[in-house]
Structure formats: C-alpha cells, structure tokens
Amino acid sequence: MRGVIFDGKQTQVVDDLEVREPGPGEVRVALSAAGLCHSDLSVVDGTIPFPVPVVLGHEGAGVVEKVGDGVTHVRPGDHVSLSTLANCGACAECDRGRPTMCRKAIGMPQQPFTRAGRPLYQFAANSAFAERTVVKAVQAVRIPEDIPQTSAALIGCGVLTGVGAVLNRARVDRGDSVVVIGTGGIGLNVLQGARIAGALKVVAVDANPAKESAARRFGATHFLTSTERVKDILPTGADHVFECVGRVELVREAVELLDRHGQAVLLGVPPATAEASFLVSSLFLDKSILGCRYGSSRPQRDVALYAELYREGRLLLDELVTATYPVEDFDKAVEDAHQGRVARAVLTF
C-alpha cells in the first residue's frame, strides 16, 4: 500500500508498505483523506524529535475496515475521524476526563508498519499518510456519513486543537476579547472557536495581509499585520491571547498584550529546547500563561460535537480545505504549505 515515510534524511512516497492486523481493542481504518499539519513538517525539520523510519500524518478520516476483539463502538463500514490520543481510559487522568494528560498517550510510539520486512514507527499513534493504519479503538470516532471525508479529516487535529483551546482550555466566555497571533490552520480554528464561544472582539494578527479575508470569515472582527496596534483596538489589553506560531518572541508579546486576569495560551510549537522570556512583574495582576496539549480535548465527545456544529453551519470545515492533492503529490503539497498558498492541504487516497 502507499504511504509517506521519513527516514531521517528525506521524505518519500512509497507503495510497498504493510500494516499488521488489528489486535484486541484496535481498529484498522482505510484512510480517505489526511490533512497536512505543521507538526508533520516539524518532524522532518527536526523541531519535533521522533524516531525513524516513520510513517507520517496524524490528521485523517476514513472508513473502518476491520475491528479487533472487544471493539463495540465502531464496526466495519463506519465513517470515522481519527484522533492522536491513544489514551488508556483507565488511569486517574482519563477517569477525570483529561485524556490528553494520560501518560500512555504520548512518548510510546508503536511499530505497526513494515516495509521490506523492516518495522516503521507510527507518528502520533496515527500515521494518516498511509492507505491503511491500525489505531487503538478509542482513537476512532464515528461521524455522520454526509460529512465529506476531506473536511472530516481536519477535525482530528486542527479543529480539536484550535477550537478546543478556546472552549476547553481558555474557556472563553461571551463578551470576552481575544487576540490570535498566526492565522494558519490552528489559528483559523481558534478564531472560529472564539466566534462560537461568543467573544465580542476578536483580533487576528498575521504578517501576511492576504490572510485577512479568511481570518474574517472564520470569526475575526479586526485584522492586523503586527501586534503594534492591538492596544488601539483593546486599550486595556485582551482577555485571551493565543500564540499559534511557535516563536518565543511572540510568546513575550502575547503576555504583554494581556489585560488584568488575562491569559496567554501557547499553541505554536517552537524547537524543543527553546526558552521564552517575559517580565515576571507583568503577571502579578492575575495574568496566566497556559500550555495546551491538543486543545485539552476529549475526542469521543468533542469530535461528535464539532461534527454536529458543522452540520448546523456553525463550524466551518469545507472552507479550511484550500487544496487537495493525491498522495503522490506530497512534495507539491508541502511546497504550497511552506509558501503560505494554502491554509490546509489535504492528501487523498
């Protein structure tokens, strides 16, 4: 079968991958579409350290092909969106409804793939850049069949992370003010999360002026190409600032833009050893800096919620898909993403 692999030096599209049968509590899914997320590119450029060789991809949707023993919530033929949370479901964090904090949900990559007899790692417990993958059953969330797979694929990372950061982590309330730094795939979802939450003023900041139209469509009430004029719109600062780029200097700016009781939410991924600096005294007015993993999501609940919001026209998915590419055109998709020509490139099988 076809898939995109990274061997530590280069990426390539191959056609001789194999994936094992699903074991107890697992599901094999035939992928239809997968979004190209910046995290995939961060593995390639070394920003995210990961063992190789690895099958890339982590934002996908498809059809259940086979289930292992004990799996009852999905069955062959079901349409599913895949999450990256291979959480155990039994630890204290899972029991508290915090699966993103499950210690078994990160840092334990499996090797369900082989190529010419050699095992390959699975990225983010998912590997959506393959025609088929095997995941834990908890990662497969059933979705209505009337949602296009190219759109449903984006729920599994961009939407869960961006919208989830607003609703689950920051808990933006009606009338709040929001600043979103960076309007790529995650930033656009933060914008629409703020809109859904009822934020009054939503300021999008992106150095690329061509992104204004999309930012406003997703929920921005104002658009700026730098943070310098944010205080003209929000003189006392913002209730919530989301940093979606992953640059340490922007982390400092996010903190400086906060109003009293404000919180800066960090979503961008800088290099693993990056350090940020800010004035400690600036936090004494009950300001907070919040990390956020995967939108603090509970995928089995949240994916179903976002699917229904989409069907009601309240959550935008189709508009996120600015271009689709057959998997063979992976390099073209990467080039367009790097050049900022697309908000989200989607690979199809």
Side-chain angles (χ1 to χ4, degrees):
M1 68 179 185
R2 294 171 296 168
V4 180
I5 67 172
F6 175 59
D7 63 7
K9 296 180 180 179
Q10 64 178 357
T11 58
Q12 59 179 317
V13 180
V14 301
D15 61 5
D16 57 350
L17 278 179
E18 295 182 5
V19 67
R20 64 170 172 77
E21 293 289 300
E26 294 181 332
V27 175
R28 187 171 70 201
V29 177
L31 276 301
S32 300
L36 176 60
C37 177
H38 195 269
S39 294
D40 300 304
L41 305 180
S42 293
V43 173
V44 176
D45 68 20
T47 301
I48 297 178
F50 205 88
V52 294
V54 58
V55 181
L56 296 174
H58 65 285
E59 185 181 67
V63 179
V64 174
E65 192 172 71
K66 190 174 183 179
V67 302
D69 292 342
V71 178
T72 59
H73 76 288
V74 292
R75 60 186 180 182
D78 283 346
H79 287 214
V80 292
S81 176
L82 299 183
S83 87
T84 67
L85 284 182
N87 59 296
C88 71
C91 68
E93 297 295 347
C94 287
D95 194 50
R96 292 172 181 150
R98 298 194 295 235
T100 57
M101 296 296 104
C102 175
R103 296 184 188 278
K104 293 186 178 180
I106 190 171
M108 298 181 182
Q110 303 298 308
Q111 294 178 301
F113 301 97
T114 57
R115 183 183 182 221
R118 183 184 181 187
L120 292 88
Y121 286 100
Q122 184 174 40
F123 179 53
N126 192 308
S127 289
F129 293 169
E131 288 188 271
R132 291 174 180 82
T133 190
V134 169
V135 298
K136 291 186 67 172
V138 72
Q139 297 176 250
V141 186
R142 189 168 54 193
I143 57 174
E145 293 186 10
D146 59 357
I147 300 180
Q149 296 264 301
T150 49
S151 297
L154 304 185
I155 298 177
C157 179
V159 175
L160 280 174
T161 299
V163 178
V166 174
L167 303 183
N168 301 328
R169 186 62 167 136
R171 299 187 181 276
V172 173
D173 202 358
R174 291 166 294 177
D176 283 357
S177 58
V178 172
V179 174
V180 180
I181 303 175
T183 60
I186 298 299
L188 289 177
N189 279 298
V190 173
L191 288 172
Q192 69 171 334
R195 170 176 51 79
I196 291 169
L200 184 61
K201 290 186 178 180
V202 182
V203 183
V205 181
D206 198 292
N208 185 353
K211 293 186 176 181
E212 179 173 3
S213 177
R216 289 187 179 276
R217 187 172 191 178
F218 276 78
T221 59
H222 300 77
F223 183 90
L224 301 172
T225 55
S226 76
T227 59
E228 294 178 0
R229 292 185 48 237
V230 170
K231 289 294 181 71
D232 292 341
I233 301 167
L234 302 171
T236 62
D239 296 312
H240 314 273
V241 180
F242 295 83
E243 200 283 328
C244 305
V245 180
R247 288 170 47 189
V248 293
E249 64 270 26
L250 295 179
V251 172
R252 184 185 183 99
E253 291 183 24
V255 174
E256 292 175 347
L257 290 173
L258 293 175
D259 197 356
R260 299 181 180 188
H261 296 280
Q263 50 189 16
V265 183
L266 310 185
L267 295 176
V269 181
T273 58
E275 297 182 358
S277 65
F278 51 87
L279 294 175
V280 175
S281 60
S282 67
L283 299 182
F284 291 156
L285 293 174
D286 285 359
K287 299 178 184 180
S288 304
I289 301 174
L290 305 179
C292 182
R293 182 179 180 223
Y294 203 42
S296 300
S297 299
R298 287 177 279 178
Q300 288 290 336
R301 180 204 66 171
D302 291 348
V303 170
L305 169 63
Y306 300 152
E308 287 306 310
L309 287 173
Y310 165 80
R311 298 175 86 194
E312 293 178 6
R314 298 169 61 189
L315 184 137
L316 306 180
L317 290 178
D318 303 338
E319 295 81 358
L320 283 168
V321 185
T322 46
T324 59
Y325 306 78
V327 68
E328 291 81 5
D329 290 343
F330 174 76
D331 289 341
K332 171 63 174 171
V334 171
E335 179 186 355
D336 287 350
H338 272 311
Q339 296 299 322
R341 301 187 188 111
V342 296
R344 210 53 152 200
V346 176
L347 301 180
T348 58
F349 297 92

